[in-house]
Amino acid sequence: MSAQIAKAPSRREHYLNADYGVRSWLLTQDHKRIAILYLISVSFFFLVGGLMAVLIRLELATPVGDLVQPDTYNRLFTMHGILMVFFFLIPSVPAVLGNFLIPLMIGAKDLAFPKINLASWYIYTIGGLFTLWAIIQGGVDTGWTFYTPFSTTYSNTYVVAVGLGIFINGFSSILTGVNFIVTIHRMRAPGLTWFRLPLFIWAHYATSLIFILGTPVLAITILLLAAERMFHIGIFDPALGGDPVLFQHLFWFYSHPAVYIMILPTMGVISELITAFSRKRIFGYKVIAFASVAIAVLGFLVWGHHMFVSSQSPYAGMIFSVLSMLVAVPSAVKVFNWTATLYEGSVSWDTPMLYALGFIGLFTIGGLTGVMLATLGIDIHVHDTYFVVAHFHYIMVGGAIMGFLGGLHFWWPKITGRLYPAFWSKFSAIVIFVGFNLTFFPQFLLGYLGMPRRYYQYPDDFQVLNVMSSAGATILGIGYLIPVIYLIWSMRYGKRATDNPWGAVGLEWETTSPPPTFNFAEPPVVDHEAYEYTKRAAAQGARNV
């Protein structure tokens, strides 16, 4: 008698196992795989920039410059800022989470232009590698702001090469912005009207507008800088008949909206986390949606607050001061609405929620100190001190990175189909919060007491606060390292996730984990409002993280 052998069921095909070949990944047009490519790339640049931050804090642990030479220190803080701003903070949430989630959240099979999406990653990679080549050759020492005429005339470092790397990278941002806008306009599922869209989508739509309108200004500014440096054309250098303040106007016209490129997508993440883990429809949905657009628009009107001590007219200074306080209003509206959502909600303390609450606390401190810096009298006193450094990092590190990690932990089961260890994820969130405050809060005091930024030596009186900051940076670095370990571990050994482990609402949770190559087995139809956390929705899925 012949034995009948049962055929083992084949594994369900999804975007991760559709084709394992390296070539298939490098030529993929799947938005989800491109998001993974971006995740690997931005994590690499974060690592390199973080190592430079480690050297900076080690140098500042003692008053005497005894670790690196002054020129090396100038290169360290410059390249740290360039890598973190242009190659991590700006692309991290849009290029990783936005790329992965926007089609899923609107019920589309992919982004509108898959080939352009892949091209944007290649452009980003080429720009980043070009910048790394310049670092290996000697780097640049101008500060990440490239202020002229130092950058055009006096610096003997690789200014043009680094500028070219940033210039190339800018095209990646523009293409991503165009792709997102067209996708959101043209590819929404039936029934998904504008005011049924997740707030994550509204935030990325507003960010994409800044990508398209602001990035060309930076590109032109870098080209002018390179032209003056290479051909001695009088644009910014007074010795050649130029105006250095013109450079600041052009640079900050882009670079202040760039702050909102970094923080707006993160605000979209926080809106998703707060409502998901409060089990409530978010308070003031339309107000938050319009606040995202208002931030994008007003962000282009406040660049002059970076120039209060740069021979700018005092009348212009007063106008920019008022506008800078005005742009804080829509940000404050978001914080108040998140807080109102938490009120009487069924709040759960899962890891993403810890990051969301940490974001609110740190971003609030950063925002309030931003209003202080918008006040002319205070700004003149603390300009170019560590007070500004602390404020910037409370927004960018305390805000953008906390939100990025919160979103990554929230959607990690959807991205990988695996769960991560609950204890270690919560532990790392707490360590990051504590380490961050120990690192940067002393810098507010240092700045108020008058310690200038970008100095590698300082009076002995400032050592205690600097040692606290360096100790906090050590704790913060450990906090960032822990998620790297357990997230990589979870990809192989983590428990398999259900399709909706959080019991959340949204189209991305109505497909499998991980999603199939084209996202949905059947095209979804939306017949309900955003964030309808009914009892049925709240009970959906096993909350087993």
Side-chain angles (χ1 to χ4, degrees):
M1 187 175 68
S2 61
Q4 198 172 23
I5 301 175
K7 185 178 178 181
S10 59
R11 290 183 303 165
R12 179 182 63 82
E13 182 177 310
H14 52 76
Y15 82 98
L16 286 174
N17 67 11
D19 190 339
Y20 285 114
V22 174
R23 186 174 183 273
S24 71
W25 277 83
L26 295 179
L27 298 179
T28 184
Q29 296 179 31
D30 187 340
H31 68 99
K32 300 180 290 299
R33 285 193 164 199
I34 294 171
I36 300 298
L37 294 176
Y38 266 116
L39 176 60
I40 296 169
S41 301
V42 300
S43 299
F44 170 76
F45 286 109
F46 179 78
L47 174 63
V48 177
L51 291 175
M52 293 177 180
V54 169
L55 293 175
I56 292 169
R57 289 314 319 171
L58 287 174
E59 173 61 75
L60 294 175
T62 59
V64 181
D66 50 8
L67 180 64
V68 297
Q69 296 298 313
D71 288 343
T72 303
Y73 184 79
N74 291 342
R75 288 171 169 81
L76 283 174
F77 71 70
T78 298
M79 297 312 303
H80 165 73
I82 288 171
L83 291 178
M84 287 299 200
V85 170
F86 295 108
F87 295 98
F88 176 73
L89 288 170
I90 288 176
S92 58
V93 177
V96 178
L97 297 180
N99 243 320
F100 193 95
L101 292 167
I102 286 176
L104 288 167
M105 284 185 164
I106 67 172
K109 292 182 178 181
D110 208 314
L111 291 174
F113 307 113
K115 291 182 180 179
I116 290 178
N117 193 25
L118 178 62
S120 69
W121 175 74
Y122 274 105
I123 292 170
Y124 166 84
T125 304
I126 292 169
L129 293 177
F130 202 91
T131 304
L132 288 177
W133 172 84
I135 293 175
I136 294 170
Q137 295 300 311
V140 63
D141 62 355
T142 61
W144 75 274
T145 55
F146 295 96
Y147 271 9
T148 60
F150 181 67
S151 60
T152 57
T153 305
Y154 302 109
S155 176
N156 59 359
T157 56
Y158 286 78
V159 176
V160 174
V162 174
L164 181 59
I166 296 172
F167 178 83
I168 294 170
N169 182 46
F171 285 95
S172 174
S173 298
I174 294 171
L175 293 177
T176 298
V178 170
N179 220 342
F180 285 178
I181 287 175
V182 175
T183 302
I184 295 168
H185 268 278
R186 304 294 298 171
M187 301 181 67
R188 302 193 306 274
L192 188 58
T193 61
W194 280 97
F195 292 111
R196 287 179 174 177
L197 285 174
L199 291 169
F200 181 90
I201 302 296
W202 276 97
H204 278 76
Y205 187 85
T207 304
S208 299
L209 295 176
I210 304 175
F211 274 145
I212 294 173
L213 298 176
T215 308
V217 178
L218 178 66
I220 292 169
T221 306
I222 292 174
L223 286 179
L224 293 175
L225 184 153
E228 178 165 286
R229 184 173 177 88
M230 296 171 66
F231 306 114
H232 305 289
I233 302 171
I235 303 171
F236 305 122
D237 188 351
L240 300 174
D243 182 3
V245 178
L246 173 62
F247 175 86
Q248 295 189 37
H249 278 292
L250 291 172
F251 181 85
W252 288 115
F253 183 80
Y254 163 79
S255 293
H256 194 84
V259 171
Y260 302 114
I261 291 175
M262 304 176 216
I263 204 67
L264 260 176
T266 308
M267 290 176 165
V269 171
I270 299 305
S271 295
E272 301 297 321
L273 302 187
I274 291 295
T275 186
F277 293 100
S278 298
R279 290 294 183 269
K280 284 177 61 180
R281 177 174 167 82
I282 197 157
F283 182 85
Y285 167 90
K286 289 186 179 180
V287 175
I288 296 179
F290 285 125
S292 294
V293 179
I295 289 172
V297 173
L298 293 173
F300 282 102
L301 304 179
V302 300
W303 77 91
H305 74 226
H306 294 273
M307 302 165 59
F308 287 156
V309 299
S310 301
S311 74
Q312 182 176 254
S313 161
Y315 302 105
M318 287 189 290
I319 292 172
F320 280 119
S321 176
V322 173
L323 288 172
S324 299
M325 295 181 184
L326 184 62
V327 78
V329 173
S331 298
V333 164
K334 288 175 177 282
V335 173
F336 290 138
N337 284 24
W338 293 330
T339 306
T341 305
L342 292 171
Y343 179 69
E344 292 189 344
S346 180
V347 178
S348 56
W349 302 99
D350 293 286
T351 303
M353 188 59 157
L354 294 181
Y355 279 110
L357 296 175
F359 170 94
I360 293 174
L362 300 179
F363 177 76
T364 300
I365 294 174
L368 290 173
T369 52
V371 173
M372 293 173 65
L373 290 171
T375 308
L376 276 77
I378 296 176
D379 183 85
I380 290 171
H381 173 64
V382 299
H383 184 82
D384 256 345
T385 69
Y386 266 88
F387 192 96
V388 179
V389 176
H391 156 72
F392 183 83
H393 283 81
Y394 263 85
I395 296 292
M396 294 299 99
V397 181
I401 297 182
M402 288 287 282
F404 175 65
L405 289 174
L408 194 63
H409 283 78
F410 183 51
W411 285 292
W412 187 258
K414 182 60 60 178
I415 294 171
T416 65
R418 299 281 184 169
L419 302 175
Y420 46 81
F423 170 80
W424 286 108
S425 60
K426 293 178 181 180
F427 176 75
S428 66
I430 295 170
V431 169
I432 289 171
F433 184 81
V434 172
F436 175 86
N437 282 287
L438 186 57
T439 302
F440 294 106
F441 195 83
Q443 295 181 15
F444 281 127
L445 304 178
L446 286 168
Y448 188 79
L449 293 173
M451 180 176 171
R453 60 178 175 175
R454 299 173 178 166
Y455 280 37
Y456 88 122
Q457 291 180 322
Y458 55 85
D460 293 345
D461 293 345
F462 295 146
Q463 185 174 11
V464 172
L465 291 171
N466 271 294
V467 168
M468 290 174 62
S469 186
S470 295
T474 303
I475 297 172
L476 184 61
I478 294 171
Y480 286 144
L481 182 62
I482 295 173
V484 174
I485 295 171
Y486 66 69
L487 289 178
I488 292 175
W489 175 89
S490 72
M491 294 177 68
R492 183 175 180 84
Y493 301 105
K495 295 180 181 178
R496 293 194 179 275
T498 60
D499 293 341
N500 189 358
W502 309 112
V505 297
L507 291 181
E508 76 270 29
W509 301 109
E510 294 180 13
T511 187
T512 56
S513 298
T517 301
F518 295 107
N519 296 341
F520 299 95
E522 297 180 2
V525 176
V526 179
D527 58 359
H528 54 81
E529 302 301 315
Y531 308 116
E532 280 196 343
Y533 275 94
T534 61
K535 292 182 179 180
R536 179 179 178 184
Q540 185 182 2
R543 304 197 49 244
N544 51 2
V545 173

